[in-house]
Amino acid sequence: MRPQKTNDTRLIEGLITVLQSRGFEGASLNDLAQAAGLQKASLYHRFPGGKQEIAITALRHVQAWIKDHIYLVLTRQDMAPEAKLDLALQHIRERYQQGEKNCILNALSFDSGLTGIKNEISTSMQLWIDAFTALGTGQGLTTSQADAKARQVLILVEGSLVLARGSGNTAYFHQALAELKKLYINT
């Protein structure tokens, strides 16, 4: 068996970068292959389902990131709520490069009418909501209250990324994360 020439995480992150910046329809296979460090034929070989398979793979990678860096952090039992939230916010800042990066969930939700992609986006968003709902219920909120607050978190983060990108001002992203923290921590 031949050794794998491209690190999977780096390959997928390269694909995510293209999809984040260009969306599903705007991402060409040439751009995706270049970002993945593969020849176009190798990209087809690796993803025989084409751009849809690439997008689904990228979204599943993001789901794994959400699980590891948000859900598992916010559901930890060995940390105080503020410490868990601070760690999750640190991960969010890193993922979106301090508000410089667009969110792939947002980028792919606009122009892909493909059911598989929509399902993966929905699953990713629900995992995010479940994580913040768990944080809220752990602080004594009812499930309904915690769910409403968790949805507000997603709106704050996604909306701030759109505003930061559209205006070229990442202060909106940082302001939204500060507001997010105030939702959970009495300051």
Side-chain angles (χ1 to χ4, degrees), residues 4 6-13 46 61:
Q4 199 167 4
T6 305
N7 174 297
D8 279 351
T9 299
R10 211 169 41 209
L11 178 144
I12 294 170
E13 287 292 339
R46 185 156 182 139
H61 180 80

Side-chain angles (χ1 to χ4, degrees), residues 146-173:
D147 182 70
K149 196 174 276 200
R151 290 176 192 283
Q152 183 63 32
V153 165
L154 193 55
I155 291 167
L156 276 170
V157 172
E158 291 293 328
S160 71
L161 287 168
V162 170
L163 190 55
R165 184 174 174 143
S167 69
N169 185 352
T170 60
Y172 296 114
F173 174 72

Side-chain angles (χ1 to χ4, degrees), residues 66 124-134 146-148 150-151 154:
I66 293 168
S124 297
M125 288 182 173
Q126 190 59 55
L127 184 58
W128 183 290
I129 291 166
D130 291 346
F132 280 93
T133 298
D147 182 70
R151 290 176 192 283
L154 193 55

Side-chain angles (χ1 to χ4, degrees), residues 90 118 162 168:
Q90 176 186 333
K118 285 184 177 185
V162 170

Side-chain angles (χ1 to χ4, degrees), residues 97-153:
Q97 294 179 352
Q98 305 298 323
E100 297 277 340
K101 275 237 181 198
N102 190 19
C103 179
I104 192 168
L105 303 177
N106 181 29
L108 291 179
S109 66
F110 285 114
D111 54 8
S112 74
L114 303 170
T115 303
I117 292 172
K118 285 184 177 185
N119 290 342
E120 296 298 329
I121 291 169
S122 178
T123 298
S124 297
M125 288 182 173
Q126 190 59 55
L127 184 58
W128 183 290
I129 291 166
D130 291 346
F132 280 93
T133 298
L135 179 65
T137 57
Q139 292 183 295
L141 297 175
T142 67
T143 302
S144 178
Q145 291 169 326
D147 182 70
K149 196 174 276 200
R151 290 176 192 283
Q152 183 63 32
V153 165

